Amino acid sequence: GDSVTQMEGPVTLSEEAFLTINCTYTATGYPSLFWYVQYPGEGLQLLLKATKADDKGSNKGFEATYRKETTSFHLEKGSVQVSDSAVYFCALSSSNTGNQFYFGTGTSLTVIP
Amino acid sequence: NAGVTQTPKFQVLKTGQSMTLQCAQDMNHEYMSWYRQDPGMGLRLIHYSVGAGITDQGEVPNGYNVSRSTTEDFPLRLLSAAPSQTSVYFCASSYSGSRNEKLFFGSGTQLSVL
């Protein structure tokens, strides 16, 4: 069935470093793709999304491009801050999943000053 | 501006005990769902509902029951708790359950079964 695979963590970066968190998907159709973020002690919240091929989602300096040719939706940020420390989840939803969301395993990011 | 409210935040049970995790939303969302979060497993869907009186199973439904008698509430019942149900549980909702809609999450319930 449809699924996402996310790079394992944890990831530790210095402030102002460049961030990439890899996410690839497996799907027979055209899923919608999402990045959710979980700050310590909180529930998940939507960071960005893309609903069709070549769409770019962006929010708070984060970006991800829906690439059908490589079945990827990698999360990037040019300059991370300490406040970006959180767990990041890639997710998909499609007609094959009955519109239900399937999440990756999460990648923990720690940004040190 | 409450959003999705989960209670309790923490719970410790003994094997075989029963309990209900509460979830309420005040956004008039038709779609509600329950996930469990385990280390290395991400979030896995337990049960979901697309409206009052309608529920369906997700990826890992065994050991859990749900009902949806009102739009606002979607409780999750553990009838006989097992150590394998030790996890963090999240309730999430969206307006209609469309695949492009944003999910709104509660802050979670941390459950330990001894």
Side-chain angles (χ1 to χ4, degrees):
Chain A
D2 292 7
S3 64
V4 291
T5 302
Q6 206 173 323
M7 70 180 278
E8 303 235 348
V11 174
T12 302
L13 294 174
S14 297
E15 207 165 21
E16 299 183 2
F18 185 86
L19 169 71
T20 299
I21 300 178
N22 290 338
C23 173
T24 57
Y25 69 89
T26 301
T28 53
Y30 303 93
S32 298
L33 300 172
F34 305 81
W35 278 101
Y36 278 80
V37 59
Q38 183 181 30
Y39 297 103
E42 299 182 9
L44 282 70
Q45 44 186 282
L46 178 67
L47 181 59
L48 54 83
K49 71 176 184 181
T51 59
K52 60 183 187 297
D54 300 324
D55 268 2
K56 177 186 283 189
S58 61
N59 186 23
K60 300 181 180 179
F62 291 88
E63 293 183 340
T65 301
Y66 187 141
R67 300 207 184 277
K68 190 172 186 301
E69 63 275 13
T70 54
T71 63
S72 65
F73 192 56
H74 305 322
L75 183 68
E76 297 181 335
K77 187 175 186 183
S79 176
V80 294
Q81 306 300 312
V82 172
S83 57
D84 294 326
S85 298
V87 181
Y88 294 83
F89 291 90
C90 186
L92 68 71
S93 180
S94 72
S95 56
N96 291 334
T97 67
N99 294 341
Q100 304 311 309
F101 282 74
Y102 282 81
F103 288 83
T105 54
T107 301
S108 175
L109 169 68
T110 300
V111 180
I112 55 177
Chain B
N1 197 22
V4 179
T5 303
Q6 286 185 240
T7 55
K9 290 191 178 301
F10 303 94
Q11 184 70 49
V12 179
L13 292 178
K14 295 181 180 178
T15 297
Q17 286 185 318
S18 63
M19 79 159 295
T20 299
L21 279 64
Q22 302 291 345
C23 176
Q25 52 87 12
D26 62 357
M27 298 173 283
N28 203 30
H29 284 174
E30 290 296 325
Y31 178 86
M32 297 184 74
S33 57
W34 278 101
Y35 289 85
R36 59 177 290 172
Q37 182 181 26
D38 301 293
M41 305 287 289
L43 275 77
R44 292 180 293 169
L45 181 65
I46 304 172
H47 284 286
Y48 65 95
S49 169
V50 297
I54 306 169
T55 63
D56 207 344
Q57 296 181 350
E59 190 182 359
V60 288
N62 292 341
Y64 307 95
N65 281 351
V66 292
S67 60
R68 183 96 180 270
S69 56
T70 67
T71 299
E72 294 78 21
D73 300 298
F74 190 46
L76 179 71
R77 296 183 186 85
L78 284 71
L79 297 180
S80 179
S84 61
Q85 294 178 303
T86 293
S87 186
V88 180
Y89 291 84
F90 288 100
C91 180
S93 71
S94 69
Y95 181 67
S96 69
S98 160
R99 70 181 204 179
N100 293 330
E101 284 181 349
K102 166 183 171 180
L103 283 175
F104 291 79
F105 281 83
S107 57
T109 296
Q110 189 169 320
L111 175 67
S112 295
V113 182
L114 306 178

